Amino acid sequence: MLMILVFTILTLKKGQLKVLGILKSSAVKKILLSFILILALSTAFSIAPNLSFWGGYFRNSGVYSWLHYFLFFILLVAGFHKKEQWQMAKKFLFAGFLLTLLFGLMQSLDLTFYKDSIWQSSFKRVFSSFGHPGDFALYIIIIIFPFISCVVGGWHNKKQRLAQVL
């Protein structure tokens, strides 16, 4: 909420709001509105609307949380104005991804520093730096395809550059 307040103040000071290029697309607008409509309908027709809106105590996966994740993403993306900023964000994202995968691999090989801890005894599954293996799996699912796309795209571009040189 503090980020929204700061973003609003900075926008009012500048006197202009840069609309993200992707948000100008009618298809993207339809997808975003559909997402918000689905969240609203799932809460309205839920057998526990209060829980659906606020989310559970442990997971906080209600509509309130989802809308904040969405707003946080929009605010983050609105701060990127140059291609170099996107490239740096992508590098940090993929570096974090590789580190969590490495940590997960170390866990699966039992090479961690916290042997015989409560985590090791209660979970026989890999959770890396996440609190639960399911959360780690969701993170992998979200990041793996952009990562593979960039790796394959990078190899393709290197082949094209090499072919031009030869």
PDB file of all heavy atoms in Angstrom, residues 1-13 68 71 75:
ATOM      1  N   MET A   1       0.829  -1.191   0.000  1.00  0.00           N
ATOM      2  CA  MET A   1       0.000   0.000   0.000  1.00  0.00           C
ATOM      3  C   MET A   1       0.870   1.249   0.000  1.00  0.00           C
ATOM      4  O   MET A   1       0.519   2.248  -0.596  1.00  0.00           O
ATOM      5  CB  MET A   1      -0.932  -0.013   1.215  1.00  0.00           C
ATOM      6  CG  MET A   1      -1.952  -1.145   1.214  1.00  0.00           C
ATOM      7  SD  MET A   1      -2.912  -1.289  -0.280  1.00  0.00           S
ATOM      8  CE  MET A   1      -4.087  -0.003  -0.078  1.00  0.00           C
ATOM      9  N   LEU A   2       2.008   1.156   0.694  1.00  0.00           N
ATOM     10  CA  LEU A   2       2.935   2.285   0.722  1.00  0.00           C
ATOM     11  C   LEU A   2       3.495   2.553  -0.679  1.00  0.00           C
ATOM     12  O   LEU A   2       3.646   3.707  -1.072  1.00  0.00           O
ATOM     13  CB  LEU A   2       4.066   2.009   1.718  1.00  0.00           C
ATOM     14  CG  LEU A   2       5.067   3.128   1.942  1.00  0.00           C
ATOM     15  CD1 LEU A   2       4.371   4.375   2.484  1.00  0.00           C
ATOM     16  CD2 LEU A   2       6.150   2.680   2.898  1.00  0.00           C
ATOM     17  N   MET A   3       3.769   1.490  -1.433  1.00  0.00           N
ATOM     18  CA  MET A   3       4.273   1.673  -2.800  1.00  0.00           C
ATOM     19  C   MET A   3       3.238   2.375  -3.671  1.00  0.00           C
ATOM     20  O   MET A   3       3.590   3.203  -4.510  1.00  0.00           O
ATOM     21  CB  MET A   3       4.646   0.328  -3.412  1.00  0.00           C
ATOM     22  CG  MET A   3       5.953  -0.233  -2.912  1.00  0.00           C
ATOM     23  SD  MET A   3       6.360  -1.775  -3.700  1.00  0.00           S
ATOM     24  CE  MET A   3       6.553  -1.273  -5.389  1.00  0.00           C
ATOM     25  N   ILE A   4       1.973   2.033  -3.493  1.00  0.00           N
ATOM     26  CA  ILE A   4       0.911   2.682  -4.273  1.00  0.00           C
ATOM     27  C   ILE A   4       0.856   4.162  -3.937  1.00  0.00           C
ATOM     28  O   ILE A   4       0.736   5.014  -4.821  1.00  0.00           O
ATOM     29  CB  ILE A   4      -0.444   1.998  -4.019  1.00  0.00           C
ATOM     30  CG1 ILE A   4      -0.425   0.591  -4.596  1.00  0.00           C
ATOM     31  CG2 ILE A   4      -1.592   2.803  -4.609  1.00  0.00           C
ATOM     32  CD1 ILE A   4      -1.626  -0.239  -4.229  1.00  0.00           C
ATOM     33  N   LEU A   5       0.991   4.485  -2.660  1.00  0.00           N
ATOM     34  CA  LEU A   5       0.987   5.882  -2.233  1.00  0.00           C
ATOM     35  C   LEU A   5       2.169   6.641  -2.838  1.00  0.00           C
ATOM     36  O   LEU A   5       1.998   7.731  -3.402  1.00  0.00           O
ATOM     37  CB  LEU A   5       1.020   5.966  -0.701  1.00  0.00           C
ATOM     38  CG  LEU A   5       1.069   7.374  -0.110  1.00  0.00           C
ATOM     39  CD1 LEU A   5      -0.234   8.112  -0.383  1.00  0.00           C
ATOM     40  CD2 LEU A   5       1.347   7.301   1.380  1.00  0.00           C
ATOM     41  N   VAL A   6       3.366   6.074  -2.761  1.00  0.00           N
ATOM     42  CA  VAL A   6       4.559   6.724  -3.325  1.00  0.00           C
ATOM     43  C   VAL A   6       4.424   6.871  -4.829  1.00  0.00           C
ATOM     44  O   VAL A   6       4.733   7.926  -5.397  1.00  0.00           O
ATOM     45  CB  VAL A   6       5.827   5.932  -2.953  1.00  0.00           C
ATOM     46  CG1 VAL A   6       7.032   6.427  -3.718  1.00  0.00           C
ATOM     47  CG2 VAL A   6       6.078   6.001  -1.458  1.00  0.00           C
ATOM     48  N   PHE A   7       3.949   5.822  -5.501  1.00  0.00           N
ATOM     49  CA  PHE A   7       3.755   5.870  -6.946  1.00  0.00           C
ATOM     50  C   PHE A   7       2.768   6.976  -7.333  1.00  0.00           C
ATOM     51  O   PHE A   7       2.994   7.727  -8.275  1.00  0.00           O
ATOM     52  CB  PHE A   7       3.268   4.512  -7.454  1.00  0.00           C
ATOM     53  CG  PHE A   7       3.065   4.449  -8.937  1.00  0.00           C
ATOM     54  CD1 PHE A   7       4.151   4.319  -9.786  1.00  0.00           C
ATOM     55  CD2 PHE A   7       1.798   4.523  -9.488  1.00  0.00           C
ATOM     56  CE1 PHE A   7       3.979   4.264 -11.153  1.00  0.00           C
ATOM     57  CE2 PHE A   7       1.608   4.470 -10.848  1.00  0.00           C
ATOM     58  CZ  PHE A   7       2.701   4.333 -11.682  1.00  0.00           C
ATOM     59  N   THR A   8       1.681   7.091  -6.586  1.00  0.00           N
ATOM     60  CA  THR A   8       0.676   8.129  -6.852  1.00  0.00           C
ATOM     61  C   THR A   8       1.254   9.520  -6.655  1.00  0.00           C
ATOM     62  O   THR A   8       1.048  10.414  -7.486  1.00  0.00           O
ATOM     63  CB  THR A   8      -0.552   7.932  -5.939  1.00  0.00           C
ATOM     64  OG1 THR A   8      -1.042   6.607  -6.126  1.00  0.00           O
ATOM     65  CG2 THR A   8      -1.645   8.923  -6.254  1.00  0.00           C
ATOM     66  N   ILE A   9       2.011   9.722  -5.578  1.00  0.00           N
ATOM     67  CA  ILE A   9       2.628  11.029  -5.317  1.00  0.00           C
ATOM     68  C   ILE A   9       3.612  11.390  -6.416  1.00  0.00           C
ATOM     69  O   ILE A   9       3.606  12.525  -6.922  1.00  0.00           O
ATOM     70  CB  ILE A   9       3.299  11.039  -3.929  1.00  0.00           C
ATOM     71  CG1 ILE A   9       2.236  10.995  -2.832  1.00  0.00           C
ATOM     72  CG2 ILE A   9       4.189  12.261  -3.764  1.00  0.00           C
ATOM     73  CD1 ILE A   9       2.795  10.767  -1.443  1.00  0.00           C
ATOM     74  N   LEU A  10       4.456  10.429  -6.812  1.00  0.00           N
ATOM     75  CA  LEU A  10       5.431  10.706  -7.877  1.00  0.00           C
ATOM     76  C   LEU A  10       4.739  10.992  -9.207  1.00  0.00           C
ATOM     77  O   LEU A  10       5.176  11.862  -9.963  1.00  0.00           O
ATOM     78  CB  LEU A  10       6.395   9.525  -8.021  1.00  0.00           C
ATOM     79  CG  LEU A  10       7.383   9.333  -6.883  1.00  0.00           C
ATOM     80  CD1 LEU A  10       8.197   8.053  -7.093  1.00  0.00           C
ATOM     81  CD2 LEU A  10       8.313  10.530  -6.754  1.00  0.00           C
ATOM     82  N   THR A  11       3.670  10.284  -9.494  1.00  0.00           N
ATOM     83  CA  THR A  11       2.922  10.518 -10.732  1.00  0.00           C
ATOM     84  C   THR A  11       2.287  11.900 -10.727  1.00  0.00           C
ATOM     85  O   THR A  11       2.314  12.610 -11.744  1.00  0.00           O
ATOM     86  CB  THR A  11       1.847   9.440 -10.920  1.00  0.00           C
ATOM     87  OG1 THR A  11       2.486   8.161 -10.918  1.00  0.00           O
ATOM     88  CG2 THR A  11       1.102   9.624 -12.212  1.00  0.00           C
ATOM     89  N   LEU A  12       1.727  12.297  -9.598  1.00  0.00           N
ATOM     90  CA  LEU A  12       1.118  13.626  -9.498  1.00  0.00           C
ATOM     91  C   LEU A  12       2.169  14.730  -9.608  1.00  0.00           C
ATOM     92  O   LEU A  12       1.906  15.784 -10.198  1.00  0.00           O
ATOM     93  CB  LEU A  12       0.339  13.763  -8.191  1.00  0.00           C
ATOM     94  CG  LEU A  12      -0.942  12.921  -8.101  1.00  0.00           C
ATOM     95  CD1 LEU A  12      -1.547  13.021  -6.711  1.00  0.00           C
ATOM     96  CD2 LEU A  12      -1.936  13.329  -9.168  1.00  0.00           C
ATOM     97  N   LYS A  13       3.359  14.515  -9.048  1.00  0.00           N
ATOM     98  CA  LYS A  13       4.437  15.509  -9.152  1.00  0.00           C
ATOM     99  C   LYS A  13       4.885  15.692 -10.605  1.00  0.00           C
ATOM    100  O   LYS A  13       5.110  16.803 -11.050  1.00  0.00           O
ATOM    101  CB  LYS A  13       5.640  15.084  -8.310  1.00  0.00           C
ATOM    102  CG  LYS A  13       5.581  15.519  -6.889  1.00  0.00           C
ATOM    103  CD  LYS A  13       6.892  15.196  -6.210  1.00  0.00           C
ATOM    104  CE  LYS A  13       6.923  15.743  -4.802  1.00  0.00           C
ATOM    105  NZ  LYS A  13       8.196  15.443  -4.148  1.00  0.00           N
ATOM    106  N   HIS A  68      -3.240  -7.527  -4.570  1.00  0.00           N
ATOM    107  CA  HIS A  68      -2.005  -6.847  -4.171  1.00  0.00           C
ATOM    108  C   HIS A  68      -0.798  -7.357  -4.947  1.00  0.00           C
ATOM    109  O   HIS A  68       0.089  -6.579  -5.299  1.00  0.00           O
ATOM    110  CB  HIS A  68      -1.789  -6.983  -2.666  1.00  0.00           C
ATOM    111  CG  HIS A  68      -2.566  -5.983  -1.887  1.00  0.00           C
ATOM    112  ND1 HIS A  68      -3.886  -6.181  -1.567  1.00  0.00           N
ATOM    113  CD2 HIS A  68      -2.227  -4.769  -1.398  1.00  0.00           C
ATOM    114  CE1 HIS A  68      -4.322  -5.131  -0.903  1.00  0.00           C
ATOM    115  NE2 HIS A  68      -3.339  -4.256  -0.793  1.00  0.00           N
ATOM    116  N   LEU A  71      -1.118  -5.601  -8.285  1.00  0.00           N
ATOM    117  CA  LEU A  71      -0.721  -4.187  -8.185  1.00  0.00           C
ATOM    118  C   LEU A  71       0.784  -4.041  -8.000  1.00  0.00           C
ATOM    119  O   LEU A  71       1.414  -3.147  -8.571  1.00  0.00           O
ATOM    120  CB  LEU A  71      -1.461  -3.497  -7.048  1.00  0.00           C
ATOM    121  CG  LEU A  71      -2.922  -3.174  -7.314  1.00  0.00           C
ATOM    122  CD1 LEU A  71      -3.580  -2.649  -6.047  1.00  0.00           C
ATOM    123  CD2 LEU A  71      -3.050  -2.167  -8.436  1.00  0.00           C
ATOM    124  N   LEU A  75       3.222  -1.967 -10.483  1.00  0.00           N
ATOM    125  CA  LEU A  75       4.108  -0.906  -9.987  1.00  0.00           C
ATOM    126  C   LEU A  75       5.565  -1.196 -10.309  1.00  0.00           C
ATOM    127  O   LEU A  75       6.326  -0.299 -10.672  1.00  0.00           O
ATOM    128  CB  LEU A  75       3.932  -0.722  -8.478  1.00  0.00           C
ATOM    129  CG  LEU A  75       2.604  -0.122  -8.043  1.00  0.00           C
ATOM    130  CD1 LEU A  75       2.499  -0.122  -6.526  1.00  0.00           C
ATOM    131  CD2 LEU A  75       2.445   1.285  -8.582  1.00  0.00           C
TER     132      LEU A  75
END
